[in-house]
Amino acid sequence: MKLIKHVLFIVSISFCFMNMKCESNDEVIIDTDNLLLGSWEATAFNENKITFNRTSELPENNFGIQFKEKGQLVDRSPGWGKTPPLIFQAFKGKWEMIDNTIAITQEHFPNNYQWKIEALSNTELIVTRDISPQELDYLDLLFKFDAIAKDVTGITCSDTSAFCAVPYGAKACGGPQGFAFYPKTIDTLAFLEKVDKYTQAEISYNEKWGVFSTCDAPHKPETVICENGVPTLLY
């Protein structure tokens, strides 16, 4: 993030000293009466523990949450149940502090849950939460998709004939979630097996949890082209 204009920075510092309430750290305003207020970006996930770092604003393409005054919040996430590729959106919700626990209500699944605060400082928030069975199944989908993505990440392209496209995933209404490219130089049998396992896992997930989806079918790519050395699907 670029620094705010020097004048505005001085004004904000002066305001903090006059009110003896907030501290400034590279654009980040901290309410010392309630350290929870502000924007937080998730930086680590360890089983049911999530670590957040304080930021000046919500991240654009990562999990984050913003606690506002009067119990209002904004949650930046793809929403549980969304399958890759993930598109992060802002969802509104409400929060309430009960003892050392944050009770959260939001617009998307899971609609109601609680975070137990393990640590809270000017720069870091660590919370734990019991993850529901559906969330565990969803996380398993993400791990399977991540294994697929890692196989083709960073591969350069100079010959389009060396690439193929394959459908992946399963929409609840039927058909694939999308298409992915892969080079013929990798272990294609192992790669396609990963894709199939992911697709079957998503079919099971949809059936188990009664997932709904739109019924529009993704366009099938015509071919794979090389754009500045990067393989790209052409529709």
Side-chain angles (χ1 to χ4, degrees), residues 9 29 33 35 37-38 40 49 59 65 90 96 100 105 107 109 129 147 159 171 190 202 206 209 212 215 219 226 232:
F9 181 78
I29 304 301
D33 287 345
L35 291 179
L37 293 178
W40 301 89
K49 180 182 293 185
I65 193 164
E96 180 182 5
N100 202 41
T105 303
E107 296 177 343
F109 174 85
R129 178 167 78 87
D159 179 10
K171 301 186 71 171
E202 188 168 12
N206 293 340
W209 298 109
F212 293 92
C215 294
H219 294 294
C226 301
T232 305

Side-chain angles (χ1 to χ4, degrees), residues 5 12 18 24 26 46 53 62 115 129 133 147 179 188 192 196 203-204 220 222 228 232:
K5 291 182 179 180
S12 65
M18 286 189 295
S24 178
D26 295 335
N46 183 12
N53 283 350
N62 192 17
W115 280 346
R129 178 167 78 87
F179 291 83
T188 56
L192 294 176
D196 182 64
I203 291 174
S204 299
K220 184 177 180 180
E222 296 180 5
N228 299 320
T232 305

Side-chain angles (χ1 to χ4, degrees), residues 76-101:
R76 176 82 71 184
S77 73
W80 284 98
K82 299 293 181 62
T83 52
L86 302 180
I87 299 176
F88 287 84
Q89 305 174 61
F91 299 92
K92 294 182 179 180
K94 296 182 179 181
W95 67 276
E96 180 182 5
M97 182 70 78
I98 304 174
D99 295 328
N100 202 41
T101 299

Side-chain angles (χ1 to χ4, degrees), residues 43-180:
T43 56
F45 296 86
N46 183 12
E47 296 181 349
N48 66 332
K49 180 182 293 185
I50 308 173
T51 299
F52 294 89
N53 283 350
R54 190 187 294 275
T55 59
S56 60
E57 59 186 25
L58 279 175
E60 288 294 326
N61 295 295
N62 192 17
F63 292 96
I65 193 164
Q66 183 181 69
F67 294 101
K68 298 184 174 183
E69 295 181 346
K70 299 181 180 180
Q72 302 298 309
L73 69 80
V74 179
D75 167 33
R76 176 82 71 184
S77 73
W80 284 98
K82 299 293 181 62
T83 52
L86 302 180
I87 299 176
F88 287 84
Q89 305 174 61
F91 299 92
K92 294 182 179 180
K94 296 182 179 181
W95 67 276
E96 180 182 5
M97 182 70 78
I98 304 174
D99 295 328
N100 202 41
T101 299
I102 311 168
I104 295 176
T105 303
Q106 57 188 12
E107 296 177 343
H108 64 86
F109 174 85
N111 302 95
N112 299 280
Y113 59 92
Q114 293 184 341
W115 280 346
K116 181 181 178 182
I117 298 177
E118 300 293 336
L120 175 60
S121 68
N122 287 353
T123 58
E124 188 177 68
L125 168 66
I126 301 176
V127 298
T128 56
R129 178 167 78 87
D130 292 333
I131 301 177
S132 70
Q134 182 175 1
E135 290 171 306
L136 288 173
D137 287 350
Y138 174 66
L139 287 173
D140 182 62
L141 279 179
L142 291 184
F143 291 142
K144 284 183 169 62
F145 187 86
D146 187 57
I148 294 171
K150 285 181 178 178
D151 282 351
V152 295
T153 298
I155 293 178
T156 58
C157 176
S158 59
D159 179 10
T160 58
S161 65
F163 287 84
C164 293
V166 59
Y168 70 87
K171 301 186 71 171
C173 197
Q177 287 284 353
F179 291 83

